[in-house]
Amino acid sequence: MRSDYLLSQLDVLEAESIHIMREVAAEFERPALLFSGGKDSIVVLALAEKAFRPANIPFPVMHVDTGHNFPEVLDFRDKRAAELGVRLVVASVQDSIDQGRAVEETGRWVSRNRLQTVTLLDAIEEHRFDALFGGARRDEEKARSKERVFSFRDEFGQWDPKNQRPELWNLYNTKIKRGEHIRVFPLSNWTELDVWSYIERENLEIPPIYYAHEREVFERDGILLAVNEFLPRTEDEQPFTASVRYRTVGDMTITGAVASTAATISEVIAEIAATRITERGQTRADDRTSEAAMEDRKREGYF
């Protein structure tokens, strides 16, 4: 007697991601999960919870804090880590600046985004992490699509797209030398719409700024930026209040909002399904400066 067993698309993606996470836990000595409180890392953390329950998640979570993050997201980060009982490692960009390891940027597009590289690599060395889970998806932008699921980084933390290891089916190369590490992307085959659909299905809590809310913003080069103390404005950049939400969260100085009235998860999904503009193209000011901006940062060692 035969009974067909069919999995939904989200079930297939979930199973693949859980397999990847268990593979890392089995093969590496000191993995960690990069957790910012953003939607992608929320899903990765939820997958980790599923992968190892009823036991606790067997590795810490780490956030590279620029000091310019949205307060709502930091509150959510701390709350979620406490709920799961996981160790939260916060690597501070401000500490790197104070120690002379990084230099504060100046100018119209002042940002601490690039400064995260030094902070992250110092934290990897300090805690001797040999694998880091990230929430990157291949649909984000062109440089992301060149990544493998297990993305090798050399002893300087650098990524070389021409020196990547082949991945045959679901066989991953986990061998590294001392000082090297692997970035692991369990959401490689997910899309932004998949992430939102999974959040809806699993009823995952997310920071409120992902939903439409009233916020004081100003427009710069076609991007709506939150009025904040870290980003100087010119005289013609007058603030105004608008109904907005965020498709992604990060440094307040470079992360743009989108005009929206989507106040529920179903309304957000409908909005995402209809858009033809990529998440980063619509909301990340730093990626508009150059088509190679993301790839440059990946080579430097952060992403």
Side-chain angles (χ1 to χ4, degrees):
M1 184 171 152
R2 178 180 171 182
S3 176
D4 290 332
Y5 182 65
L6 300 178
L7 294 175
S8 70
Q9 177 185 352
L10 286 181
D11 287 333
V12 171
L13 291 172
E14 179 188 70
E16 179 189 48
S17 298
I18 287 175
H19 166 72
I20 290 167
M21 303 194 84
R22 288 174 175 168
E23 187 79 0
V24 170
E27 293 288 339
F28 291 92
E29 293 183 5
R30 301 178 69 89
L33 190 154
L34 291 172
F35 181 65
S36 64
K39 68 181 187 307
D40 297 316
S41 63
I42 288 171
V43 168
V44 175
L45 190 59
L47 290 166
E49 185 182 9
K50 274 196 175 186
F52 303 106
R53 67 173 43 155
N56 294 328
I57 296 173
F59 40 75
V61 299
M62 179 169 71
H63 181 216
V64 180
D65 185 359
T66 66
H68 294 172
N69 299 99
F70 292 93
E72 303 97 319
V73 179
L74 294 182
D75 290 343
F76 179 87
R77 176 203 70 185
D78 295 341
K79 174 187 173 185
R80 189 71 181 115
E83 287 173 348
L84 292 176
V86 294
R87 180 165 69 95
L88 174 62
V89 176
V90 178
S92 169
V93 171
Q94 184 61 56
D95 287 348
S96 298
I97 295 172
D98 294 342
Q99 296 164 10
R101 295 279 295 154
V103 179
E104 189 84 81
E105 292 183 1
T106 59
R108 184 169 181 258
W109 283 112
V110 59
S111 168
R112 289 184 171 181
N113 201 41
R114 283 185 178 273
L115 306 188
Q116 295 178 86
T117 301
V118 171
T119 307
L120 173 63
L121 295 181
D122 284 350
I124 291 172
E125 183 177 3
E126 177 186 352
H127 297 280
R128 294 184 289 121
F129 293 138
D130 53 5
L132 287 179
F133 291 106
R137 309 182 319 270
R138 285 178 178 152
D139 71 324
E140 287 185 64
E141 64 86 64
K142 294 178 181 177
R144 294 288 199 198
S145 65
K146 297 180 182 180
E147 290 276 13
R148 301 290 190 264
V149 176
F150 279 45
S151 186
F152 172 75
R153 297 298 198 270
D154 65 20
E155 63 270 27
F156 301 106
Q158 295 175 322
W159 172 75
D160 182 359
K162 296 181 180 179
N163 189 32
Q164 295 191 96
R165 300 163 175 177
E167 290 181 346
L168 305 176
W169 301 285
N170 61 349
L171 301 177
Y172 305 110
N173 191 329
T174 63
K175 296 188 181 300
I176 56 173
K177 299 176 183 177
R178 187 177 181 85
E180 301 171 343
H181 71 278
I182 298 288
R183 306 285 175 88
V184 185
F185 303 114
L187 304 186
S188 286
N189 292 324
W190 297 52
T191 66
E192 184 185 10
L193 191 57
D194 291 328
V195 167
W196 280 108
S197 298
Y198 191 78
I199 290 171
E200 180 183 42
R201 190 185 83 171
E202 299 295 310
N203 194 28
L204 299 180
E205 184 182 358
I206 57 176
I209 65 173
Y210 277 114
Y211 298 114
H213 60 283
E214 296 290 317
R215 184 176 289 266
E216 194 175 22
V217 296
F218 67 97
E219 184 173 348
R220 175 177 292 180
D221 295 351
I223 297 179
L224 295 178
L225 295 168
V227 173
N228 63 84
E229 61 185 297
F230 310 114
L231 191 61
R233 303 191 311 272
T234 60
E235 290 185 2
D236 61 333
E237 294 174 333
Q238 294 301 311
F240 59 94
T241 300
S243 175
V244 300
R245 69 174 190 86
Y246 287 85
R247 289 178 69 180
T248 185
V249 295
D251 195 314
M252 293 177 69
T253 61
I254 56 172
T255 305
V258 295
S260 174
T261 58
T264 66
I265 187 74
S266 59
E267 291 173 344
V268 169
I269 289 174
E271 220 175 61
I272 295 299
T275 188
R276 293 296 178 265
I277 305 176
T278 65
E279 175 185 328
R280 300 189 71 87
Q282 188 174 24
T283 63
R284 287 300 292 268
D286 54 338
D287 287 341
R288 292 193 174 190
T289 59
S290 166
E291 290 185 2
M294 170 71 84
E295 189 157 335
D296 290 343
R297 290 197 299 279
K298 284 161 64 63
R299 289 178 187 273
E300 291 169 2
Y302 182 66
F303 290 94

